[in-house]
Amino acid sequence: MSTELLPPVAPEVLAEAVEQLTARLRKKLDAAIADCAGRVTAADEGGAVEIRFGEDTVVTLRPGPSGAVSTTEQAVCTCLLAPRCLHRAAALGAAPIADADVLSAGGTDEEAAAPPPASTGAAEPAPSAVSEDEPVPVTEEPALTPAQVRAASALWDAAAEALSAGVAAGGAVVQAELLRAAHSARLAGLPRAEAAALRVVRGLRAARDRGQGQRLGDLTDAFRELLAGAVALASGTAGPGAAGGARRAYEQGGSLRVHGLCREPVLSATGYGGVTTHLLGADGTAYTLSDVRPGGLGRAKGAGSASVALGGAVLDHAGLARGGLLIAGATVSADGRLGAGKGVRATPLRGVDWSEEPAAALFARPVHEAMAAALAAGAENGTGADAAGAGLLGCDVEVLGAAGDHLLVRVLDGETLVRLRPAHPHPELPHAGNLRLIATFPGLVLRVLGRPDLDRAASLRPLAVGPVPGASYTLRLPEEWRGRADLGYDRLQGSHFPREAPASTSAPAPDGRASGPVTTGPDPLADAPLWRVRRLLETGVAGGRRAVAEAARGTETAGFTVPLRRAGLVGAARLAQALTAEADRRPRDSFGRLIDPSADGYARAWLASAVHLAVAERSLVAASWS
């Protein structure tokens, strides 16, 4: 859909516009939204956008100071039915959903009265203005209030209906109900639940539009996160931390001495781009400094050499990743992000090599111990494969060669086989190209620093590589790179590799490079029949309750329960069978009317199976690193 000019729209504005439509107009809404493509033009006024539906019907969207349409008065239509018209609702439905951080920057009266929203990103730093990173007093969070429990119950009901409808029937009306419930959660002080609902809505939109890069598995995980959070909050027994932080609170950190580890580009699906530089304190504490703003790929590529906006420091992010800072009056969030308040002062320091402390400790820890800690942190935070909450893992490896879409390596001083996958698959970022070049040098030993993939067996997404101290067949990096190459910004060349292959390398090519792919070792996650459960859950997300019910008829149920039971996965088989039975349970009275039209029971059965699957897969991932 060619609607790139449309400004973001607040969830409550779209939800109200859909609610004002009659039942007849709601049936036409999805087609009207699709018809908006090609009708969008920039108005003469600054920032305004027009969508023309005819000679006399024009919808005008005028974003506020935040750059988003946050009030109903900022969306007007010239037709006689306005504001309760199909044109206005379609224009708002075609626009992207505004992030909570963007709306809070606008400072409307309603938003000022509401609790500030939390960051919506786990895999990427939330866009923020550095001038707003002042320390915020941190107070003990109270227990859940009755208003929060009611908001969570409403969000559960909306999410259950959306899950029952699936992508096939999850059009604008279903999405609007989710957006309304998300806004109520925001007003009640449940920013984490609101963020989860917005991720589901964006996933439904991308899946219905068949957007590139959209994975059904990601939408399945988003539904699981939303339903699990909503049911915990609605029960009233969840702790206060389940509501999430209303704002990333920055506390005074005093004086800090931090050293750069690496930098990575950040590119979000919502049009933000930038860079995150990973730092390490003298005591081994991890910190990050991010610069993420609207701009997409162009900004992600250019931000790697942009100046560091922290306390007047004269370094850029490239220099900081290989240098360090002495920070006075530092402000630090709970997740280790450095703020740039007015009282912060920073002085550049000499960087440390990865073989020096405190960086050397990252590579000295056995990988199975580091992964056990990462998996425990991921389970506690509810993070997934691409979540930054997993932290960074360092190890020394030997390159074995290319294996499908990844690079296979062996951890030195151990037999663990690890798959290196691109940290970001975008073709204009050098992650994948650097890994392909490394794969052509079997026997090469590397020092790798990356983020473990918590949803794949023994997989690491490397952010930077460097030579192994004392090794002869290792990288030969330029002196100005200071012993490391950031795979998202630095492009490795043939001159950075040794010319002669080691004697232990089997059947090298004439130039010392690998002659073909290698065979991977066993994959406990792929070999387990749990994929049948995931396929069933994804079928429900794609086709809704009706698609899952089809699996309960005939011999299809035995087709996936029997292999599960034979593999000893009795719990997974029992929950999957209960899910299909609940999906097919539609009791009717003597007149053919549904006795229980609620989707509550189906959503609970789906969630039970999804949570069991996530825990089982996490256990297999942990076993693959041992």
Side-chain angles (χ1 to χ4, degrees):
M1 188 170 5
S2 180
T3 54
E4 292 83 0
L5 294 177
L6 291 175
V9 173
E12 63 273 18
V13 175
L14 173 57
E16 182 178 355
V18 175
E19 186 182 21
Q20 291 177 340
L21 296 178
T22 63
R24 181 179 62 86
L25 293 179
R26 290 188 181 188
K27 296 178 180 179
K28 301 180 179 181
L29 182 55
D30 290 328
I33 291 176
D35 196 39
C36 289
R39 297 178 178 270
V40 184
T41 58
D44 295 335
E45 306 175 23
V49 174
E50 291 182 349
I51 304 95
R52 186 173 297 275
F53 289 90
E55 295 183 0
D56 301 326
T57 304
V58 180
V59 178
T60 304
L61 303 181
R62 295 185 178 89
S66 64
V69 177
S70 55
T71 64
T72 56
E73 293 78 12
Q74 294 171 349
V76 296
C77 180
T78 59
C79 75
L80 297 177
L81 294 179
R84 301 182 178 183
C85 63
L86 181 63
H87 313 108
R88 180 173 175 271
L92 293 172
I97 303 298
D99 285 318
D101 289 338
V102 173
L103 295 175
S104 62
T108 62
D109 294 338
E110 181 183 1
E111 292 158 353
S119 165
T120 60
E124 63 221 14
S128 59
V130 296
S131 61
E132 297 178 356
D133 291 342
E134 296 294 338
V136 177
V138 179
T139 58
E140 185 177 353
E141 298 181 35
L144 295 179
T145 65
Q148 289 177 320
V149 174
R150 289 193 298 271
S153 299
L155 186 58
W156 165 267
D157 292 338
E161 292 295 337
L163 177 66
S164 180
V167 173
V173 176
V174 173
Q175 296 169 23
E177 293 300 322
L178 260 179
L179 293 176
R180 176 173 294 280
H183 179 60
S184 298
R186 178 187 179 196
L187 295 179
L190 302 175
R192 181 176 297 174
E194 179 210 12
L198 294 184
R199 281 194 290 273
V200 169
V201 172
R202 292 192 179 103
L204 285 172
R205 286 187 167 194
R208 289 178 63 84
D209 294 340
R210 294 178 173 84
Q212 293 184 353
Q214 170 63 27
R215 294 177 61 249
L216 189 59
D218 294 337
L219 182 55
T220 302
D221 294 339
F223 263 112
R224 186 194 69 233
E225 180 183 352
L226 171 59
L227 290 169
V231 75
L233 292 169
S235 67
T237 60
R247 177 183 171 184
R248 186 180 300 115
Y250 285 81
E251 297 181 281
Q252 292 289 352
S255 296
L256 290 178
R257 182 185 295 267
V258 296
H259 302 281
L261 290 174
C262 62
R263 57 193 164 136
E264 65 170 316
V266 176
L267 182 61
S268 74
T270 54
Y272 288 90
V275 62
T276 291
T277 299
H278 296 269
L279 308 164
L280 197 64
D283 58 351
T285 303
Y287 299 96
T288 57
L289 184 62
S290 300
D291 181 8
V292 182
R293 301 178 186 277
L297 177 64
R299 194 174 193 288
K301 296 169 66 175
S305 57
S307 298
V308 174
L310 182 67
V314 295
L315 287 175
D316 57 17
H317 280 273
L320 178 58
R322 295 178 169 93
L325 286 176
L326 178 61
I327 308 174
T331 57
V332 187
S333 70
D335 57 356
R337 304 194 188 194
L338 296 176
K342 297 179 181 179
V344 179
R345 296 292 180 267
T347 304
L349 294 176
R350 182 191 71 86
V352 298
D353 190 83
W354 282 358
S355 59
E356 304 176 37
E357 294 296 343
L362 290 175
F363 305 92
R365 189 178 188 183
V367 291
H368 65 275
E369 293 183 6
M371 273 306 303
L375 289 167
E380 180 180 356
N381 299 330
T383 55
D386 299 323
L392 299 183
L393 183 147
C395 57
D396 294 341
V397 301
E398 177 187 358
V399 175
L400 300 181
D405 60 346
H406 58 269
L407 170 63
L408 188 67
V409 299
R410 180 182 61 84
V411 178
L412 296 182
D413 300 328
E415 298 298 329
T416 304
L417 297 180
V418 178
R419 300 158 180 83
L420 302 184
R421 302 178 184 273
H424 202 293
H426 198 286
E428 294 194 36
L429 295 176
H431 289 288
N434 284 330
L435 290 183
R436 283 195 298 267
L437 181 58
I438 294 174
T440 61
F441 290 88
L444 185 75
V445 291
L446 295 172
R447 178 156 282 187
V448 180
L449 184 65
R451 181 174 296 112
D453 190 333
L454 303 184
D455 286 347
R456 295 177 184 269
S459 296
L460 189 68
R461 298 188 181 273
L463 303 180
V465 296
V468 175
S472 58
Y473 192 64
T474 188
L475 289 175
R476 304 286 190 266
L477 299 179
E479 184 177 354
E480 59 270 19
W481 285 14
R482 300 187 182 178
R484 69 201 69 169
D486 296 330
L487 297 180
Y489 287 103
D490 301 323
R491 293 189 180 273
L492 295 174
Q493 307 293 333
S495 59
H496 299 153
F497 295 85
R499 295 184 178 180
E500 296 182 359
S504 59
T505 302
S506 59
D511 59 353
R513 299 189 177 191
S515 58
V518 297
T519 303
T520 61
D523 187 340
L525 188 59
D527 296 339
L530 287 173
W531 61 268
R532 301 173 185 273
V533 180
R534 175 164 287 277
R535 185 175 66 178
L536 178 66
L537 296 174
E538 292 180 354
T539 298
V541 171
R545 180 173 185 167
R546 181 177 300 179
V548 176
E550 291 296 329
R553 301 189 178 102
T555 60
E556 294 187 24
T557 302
F560 64 82
T561 57
V562 171
L564 290 171
R565 294 182 185 277
R566 287 176 178 173
L569 301 171
V570 179
R574 185 185 302 114
L575 291 172
Q577 193 169 11
L579 171 60
T580 56
E582 180 63 32
D584 199 34
R585 190 186 66 84
R586 305 286 280 177
R588 299 178 182 272
D589 60 15
S590 57
F591 296 98
R593 297 172 298 191
L594 285 175
I595 299 176
D596 182 17
S598 172
D600 182 81
Y602 168 74
R604 291 182 182 275
W606 187 94
L607 178 60
S609 188
V611 171
H612 183 276
L613 174 66
V615 175
E617 289 181 338
R618 188 63 56 90
S619 299
L620 292 176
V621 170
S624 69
W625 286 90
S626 60

